[in-house]
Amino acid sequence: MKLLDLLRFQFLKILETQSCAQAKMRGATRGLFPKRLCGIFFAALLASTFGFASPQKNLAAQDPIVQFLKGDISEKTAAVSRAGENSSLAITALEFVVENSEILKNDRDLAGLAVAATLSLSDAEYMRAQKETVDILKGVFYAFDDDNVRVSVFDKLAVFYAKKNFEPCVEFINEFLSDAVASKNAAGESERKAVETLGRIGNGSSFAPLYSVLRLGLWHEIRPTVEDSLAKIADKSLNEILNEIEGANFDSLKTLFKIYQKSEISSSLRSELAENALAKSMMITETSQNSYDLAGFQLECAKVLAENKWTRAAELGEKYFGVAKSAFERNFLDEGQFASAVKCVESISSRKSVKLFSDYMTQLNKAQEERNFPSKTVALAIIDALGTLGDKSAFDCLLYVTYLDYPEEVTSAARNALTRLKW
């Protein structure tokens, strides 16, 4: 083996040995870095002392390790980029960056080296030493205000987390976002990237910092990104969402409902959240300012339950029928909306709902008998619900429809419903 090749081999062994000793990355950096450089410069000094032939000099000049040692910051960056996923050189470069960041605060060339070294960190290095790798990335992140550096760190953390879950990755981004929200400064590219990355790797602990952006009315320019990230981690933050719904006012309830009714969220999760939102909305005090909105919102919740045949909410549906009936009678729902509410309740109802509909049909029959003609649309909805449920206890009120002076469409629907009853 030629001498330069032997030196390079020994150098790489030194790097491998040194990289195993990074358990206290930030604190240990000052101690490890000089030793690492001593070994590297010793190898380079020997190479130059023995005076290799010109071809060997050209080879050494092309070697990324030698180029990193001998070059200025721009050449170090080029060396790291050429080396690819050489974790030893990448770690050395990141240590160099952290060591010199205070002296060269926010220097563009040093920031460029930080980005190149961050992107060159290999999956193998992360899998070998997760804590140490994340710690040095955190050190690089806080050494710069540069968005390019910080975005590269978030990107690398997302890649690493996909290989193996390591919660400090998420905790670090949560912490950064919480601090950024607390500062109430305008959102930059770093904040946007933090939000986006939590949508990829976040969990229940990420709900609070993400939702606080919306709750405090901050960062309108990236609000869609925040909502998208919240939706993407919905299955990991169900308990946090339900807790937020429980204490929500009407405006917050509408915001939460909007976020979690996206098509990419599972139907069961959308239904569970709609059920809780509907239950909460029925506890909100109605005012002259919110009556129409509240009635419309409750109907939207009920439609989600009906769409997904969420029979688990049957008892809630029965309570909602009374709420919707009251809203219709006070003109907060029109006849079409109330007919939709009837259909929703019927879709998720149990046999207990038959009595609700039968009693209401009896009420409509009485109004028709007294010439206080009820809504045809509503009458048809109630008759169809009774026919669909098919319970024989609805026989009397349906039969009575056929004897009253309803429009032919209504009496025909009643006769059809009678044939669908189960005896």
Side-chain angles (χ1 to χ4, degrees):
M1 183 182 292
K2 294 181 180 180
L3 182 56
L4 181 57
D5 291 335
L6 179 60
L7 289 171
R8 290 175 61 199
F9 174 77
Q10 291 297 329
F11 168 69
L12 290 174
K13 293 296 289 181
I14 291 170
L15 286 180
E16 182 179 354
T17 302
Q18 289 287 347
S19 64
C20 292
Q22 298 177 16
K24 299 179 180 178
M25 184 57 61
R26 293 301 304 274
T29 297
R30 299 182 182 275
L32 288 174
F33 183 69
K35 292 179 182 178
R36 193 186 295 271
L37 281 185
C38 286
I40 295 172
F41 277 114
F42 178 69
L45 179 60
L46 283 177
S48 61
T49 302
F50 278 93
F52 292 100
S54 178
Q56 294 291 349
K57 288 182 179 180
N58 291 338
L59 178 63
Q62 294 173 9
D63 186 279
I65 296 171
V66 175
Q67 183 182 4
F68 181 86
L69 292 172
K70 298 177 67 176
D72 58 22
I73 294 179
S74 296
E75 290 169 330
K76 291 182 190 300
T77 302
V80 170
S81 298
R82 284 179 53 227
E85 288 197 346
N86 182 329
S87 287
S88 295
L89 186 56
I91 290 291
T92 299
L94 290 174
E95 290 178 349
F96 176 86
V97 165
V98 173
E99 286 287 331
N100 293 280
S101 61
E102 292 185 12
I103 300 172
L104 301 174
K105 188 68 174 177
N106 290 326
D107 179 81
R108 293 183 63 183
D109 290 336
L110 192 65
L113 175 57
V115 171
T118 296
L119 298 179
S120 295
L121 275 174
S122 69
D123 295 343
E125 179 68 17
Y126 170 72
M127 296 299 288
R128 187 190 66 79
Q130 293 165 36
K131 182 180 185 303
E132 292 81 357
T133 305
V134 173
D135 282 348
I136 197 168
L137 286 175
K138 288 168 64 176
V140 171
F141 182 92
Y142 284 117
F144 294 89
D145 293 329
D146 187 285
D147 280 334
N148 291 326
V149 174
R150 293 184 162 192
V151 166
S152 71
V153 169
F154 287 145
D155 279 335
K156 184 57 72 171
L157 287 174
V159 171
F160 285 162
Y161 192 85
K163 294 294 180 181
K164 185 175 181 181
N165 295 0
F166 185 55
E167 291 311 312
C169 294
V170 177
E171 292 167 3
F172 163 54
I173 305 175
N174 287 343
E175 180 182 343
F176 166 74
L177 189 60
S178 295
D179 291 344
V181 169
S183 73
K184 297 187 178 180
N185 293 329
E189 185 60 21
S190 296
E191 287 76 16
R192 186 200 66 78
K193 191 65 179 182
V195 168
E196 179 187 293
T197 305
L198 287 178
R200 296 167 62 186
I201 68 173
N203 53 36
S205 67
S206 305
F207 175 84
L210 283 169
Y211 187 68
S212 65
V213 176
L214 306 182
R215 182 170 46 79
L216 297 173
L218 301 175
W219 304 347
H220 295 287
E221 65 275 19
I222 65 168
R223 185 183 179 102
T225 306
V226 176
E227 293 181 354
D228 187 56
S229 290
L230 282 166
K232 286 178 178 177
I233 64 169
D235 59 331
K236 303 174 188 175
S237 53
L238 178 59
N239 289 337
E240 289 77 11
I241 300 168
L242 294 179
N243 287 338
E244 191 67 32
I245 288 175
E246 185 177 351
N249 59 28
F250 186 36
D251 287 337
S252 297
L253 202 58
K254 290 188 291 184
T255 297
L256 289 164
F257 182 77
K258 175 188 172 185
I259 293 171
Y260 296 111
Q261 293 307 314
K262 296 180 182 291
S263 59
E264 61 266 27
I265 297 177
S266 69
S267 60
S268 60
L269 184 55
R270 284 189 287 120
S271 298
E272 183 163 2
L273 295 175
E275 177 187 355
N276 281 270
L278 176 58
K280 176 63 180 180
S281 72
M282 290 163 58
M283 298 168 60
I284 292 175
T285 302
E286 188 180 288
T287 68
S288 57
Q289 287 76 33
N290 70 15
S291 297
Y292 288 96
D293 284 347
L294 189 59
F297 175 78
Q298 290 165 344
L299 178 57
E300 290 304 309
C301 292
K303 285 179 178 179
V304 174
L305 302 180
E307 177 187 344
N308 297 300
K309 303 294 183 183
W310 195 247
T311 55
R312 199 178 81 175
E315 185 175 346
L316 178 66
E318 292 160 14
K319 294 177 181 177
Y320 169 62
F321 177 76
V323 172
K325 175 175 170 288
S326 174
F328 170 60
E329 291 171 348
R330 291 177 296 148
N331 297 317
F332 297 140
L333 291 177
D334 62 30
E335 59 183 33
Q337 290 174 312
F338 182 49
S340 294
V342 170
K343 182 62 179 176
C344 290
V345 175
E346 175 262 303
S347 296
I348 62 172
S349 64
S350 63
R351 290 175 61 89
K352 293 180 181 178
S353 302
V354 174
K355 184 174 184 345
L356 293 175
F357 295 144
S358 294
D359 288 348
Y360 191 63
M361 192 70 245
T362 299
Q363 182 181 330
L364 295 182
N365 287 342
K366 184 177 181 181
Q368 179 69 21
E369 195 174 23
E370 296 173 352
R371 313 300 289 174
N372 296 322
F373 304 112
S375 163
K376 183 178 75 171
T377 301
V378 172
L380 287 171
I382 294 293
I383 290 170
D384 182 65
L386 289 170
T388 300
L389 292 170
D391 192 281
K392 61 183 181 180
S393 62
F395 178 80
D396 289 344
C397 67
L398 287 174
L399 181 63
Y400 196 44
V401 171
T402 64
Y403 290 107
L404 295 174
D405 189 24
Y406 279 106
E408 175 57 29
E409 185 179 357
V410 175
T411 55
S412 177
R415 285 191 290 270
N416 178 269
L418 284 166
T419 65
R420 296 157 65 190
L421 299 183
K422 300 177 181 65
W423 294 87

